[in-house]
Amino acid sequence: MLDAWLASLSDPLFRLPLLTGLLLATLLPVIGALLMLRDEWLAALGLSHLAAASALLGSALGLPTLVGGTAGALAGGALKTRFEARGNLAYAFMILVGWSATLLIGANTELGERLAHALVEGQLYFAGVVELVAALALIVAALWILPRILPQLLRSRFFPRFEQANALPAWRWHLAMDLLAAATLAIGTLTVGLMGAFALVLIPAWVVFRIAPSWRWTLIGSGLVGVGGYLVAFALALQLDQPFGPMLVAVLLGIAASMLLPKAWRGSVSAS
């Protein structure tokens, strides 16, 4: 497995995809922890579906998929804040809108079906300088935004009436979080695939929420689980000649299963 990583770093064909995915695998689980804190983990699927649909639409209009997908996801995040939608319901509607639009656009545009399939499975191996720069920009934006809004996000979760009672402009930090999540999931979807991005948002946060002793370790642990799962999946996909997206989901599911098996084993031993 180490040989596969070293070969990827030495091979120009895989170096940029490896580094791009590594940045996204660090950030997506952190965003996932924040979404789980807000009971909005379904955002991963809602925004990803919007990104896929708008990427297809942008491609049909002659725009790069990265531009179209990001614009659609940002519009969804902004509308969610504008209408003060909270929880998973808004993202459920995004899934339905994005799913229907993706299939309809894919069925009625040239090469649409093939591109729609690529968006679902992921195009990590085709990531280049543009995708790497976009991922770096997301990391920089997250490092600047999250320390400024994290205390407010925690307060709004545990003291939901505080903002209203003190007439605070809560829309500012909620909008910042929604837009950061939208941009991250859009670029993640267009790079590691719809289900790969969803798995990176959901599973590391779910795993770490069960064991982390503090909120800081929740964020750190989510990033570490995401990076570890990504590196294992990348190496296995190269060694076994498998598509990356499904391999990433399988590895992360294996990590989740490893958290459940000891509990199930203890339960069976105590029952006997």
Side-chain angles (χ1 to χ4, degrees), residues 108-122:
N108 291 280
T109 57
E110 186 179 358
L111 299 178
E113 185 176 354
R114 186 184 305 175
L115 181 56
H117 178 75
L119 289 172
V120 172
E121 187 175 291

Side-chain angles (χ1 to χ4, degrees), residues 18-34:
L18 175 64
L19 295 177
T20 302
L22 187 62
L23 293 173
L24 293 171
T26 304
L27 182 56
L28 280 166
V30 174
I31 297 297
L34 293 169

Side-chain angles (χ1 to χ4, degrees), residues 128-151:
V129 175
V130 174
E131 288 77 12
L132 179 60
V133 170
L136 284 170
L138 282 175
I139 293 290
V140 172
L143 290 174
W144 188 81
I145 293 172
L146 289 181
R148 289 165 171 78
I149 66 171
L150 189 54

Side-chain angles (χ1 to χ4, degrees), residues 38 45 90 97 199 201 218 228 238 272:
R38 304 170 83 193
L45 277 181
V97 171
V201 166
T218 299
L238 288 181
S272 62

Side-chain angles (χ1 to χ4, degrees), residues 1 5 18 21-22 25-26 29 196 199-200 203-204 221-237 244-256:
M1 192 172 295
W5 295 332
L18 175 64
L22 187 62
T26 304
L200 279 171
I203 294 177
S222 296
L224 291 175
V225 172
V227 167
Y230 167 79
L231 290 175
V232 171
F234 195 95
L236 288 176
F244 173 76
M247 182 61 71
L248 174 63
V249 174
V251 169
L252 292 174
L253 285 173
I255 295 174

Side-chain angles (χ1 to χ4, degrees), residues 1 3-4 6 8 21 47 67 73 89 104 109 126 147 152 158 160 162 167-168 216 233-234 248:
M1 192 172 295
D3 293 338
L6 293 176
S8 300
L47 292 169
V67 174
L89 184 60
L104 289 173
T109 57
F126 299 99
Q152 289 86 349
F158 297 110
F162 183 89
L168 296 176
R216 175 175 296 180
F234 195 95
L248 174 63

